[in-house]
Amino acid sequence: MEFSEVLRHRRMVRSFDRRQLAPGVLDRLLDRATRAPSAGFTQGWAFVVLEGPEQTERFWRHTLPRHERAGFRWPRLLDAPVIVLPLSSRQAYLERYAEPDKAGAGLHDEEAWPVPYWDVDCGFATMLLLLAAVDEGLGALFFGIFRGEDGLLAGLGVPPSCRPIGAVALGHPAGDDAPSASLSRGRRPLHDVVHRGGW
């Protein structure tokens, strides 16, 4: 698929069928995600991959308990065969910028960073994962983890130096996946977004 087509077709999918991904597809998606840029080439991201109903249920058990699922607005989201947790590591960046070739930047302390590049770079990698999914003919959804994060991370053995920026559901879109009602807002016109030469 041409890159312009990937961009045009990228959207958040909230309804999946239960088909598993073909062999090798998930590895290709994750490899493409690692091609993201990162400050100091730190690559301070990691991905916990939950594949198949038993593993994805571990995610949902913490974030959407069974007794609350009956009224869940997007029940077929739970059918996604893969959940990926993109994790960012602040510590990786602080350690990288304490190394001799970066120590002069003065960024070995968290307070010195103008923005949390560990989250920015993890976001870059996550966006590549979303685009790679479209390129493979799959659907994907990035969504926040609003509850149960501590228990989930402990259960998955995630080290304390890593935290998720959200979660990504991956799989084959179901035929009943309706576009988000938020799309009725329309895309902001370029002249409202771009300010050439100043605001």
Side-chain angles (χ1 to χ4, degrees):
M1 192 180 291
E2 293 289 328
F3 184 63
S4 60
E5 288 293 297
V6 170
L7 293 178
R8 204 159 49 81
H9 286 93
R10 194 223 48 82
R11 64 185 184 86
M12 296 299 186
V13 171
R14 293 170 176 82
S15 183
F16 296 88
D17 68 33
R18 294 183 176 165
R19 276 182 293 163
Q20 297 300 304
L21 303 189
V25 169
L26 187 53
D27 288 339
R28 281 197 304 272
L29 297 180
L30 295 164
D31 178 66
R32 291 171 185 163
T34 66
R35 305 303 172 134
S38 63
F41 206 46
T42 303
Q43 305 166 79
W45 52 66
F47 303 102
V48 170
V49 179
L50 304 173
E51 188 174 11
E54 287 184 22
Q55 290 189 12
T56 58
E57 176 57 26
R58 293 174 71 189
F59 175 84
W60 296 117
R61 185 171 49 245
H62 288 281
T63 61
L64 185 64
R66 281 194 183 276
H67 67 277
E68 295 180 15
R69 295 181 193 176
F72 184 53
R73 185 173 173 187
W74 301 288
R76 298 209 59 196
L77 172 56
L78 281 68
D79 291 336
V82 177
I83 301 285
V84 177
L85 296 178
L87 304 163
S88 75
S89 172
R90 175 187 60 196
Q91 192 60 38
Y93 286 76
L94 300 181
E95 290 173 4
R96 172 68 181 108
Y97 277 80
E99 292 177 17
D101 66 319
K102 293 292 182 186
L107 297 173
H108 57 278
D109 183 298
E110 179 181 357
E111 305 303 317
W113 288 79
V115 294
Y117 272 66
W118 37 94
D119 291 339
V120 171
D121 292 351
C122 190
F124 288 157
T126 302
M127 188 66 196
L128 289 186
L129 180 63
L130 297 176
L131 294 174
V134 173
D135 192 47
E136 291 281 352
L138 298 171
L141 172 70
F142 175 82
F143 60 102
I145 301 171
F146 296 100
R147 60 188 296 188
E149 181 179 305
D150 291 343
L152 173 66
L153 298 181
L156 296 173
V158 175
S161 61
C162 294
R163 62 177 281 275
I165 63 166
V168 176
L170 293 168
H172 297 276
D176 63 351
D177 187 54
S180 169
S182 297
L183 293 177
S184 65
R185 293 170 48 93
R187 193 171 306 281
R188 290 175 64 198
L190 206 56
H191 66 269
D192 282 355
V193 178
V194 177
H195 306 277
R196 299 183 189 276
W199 192 270

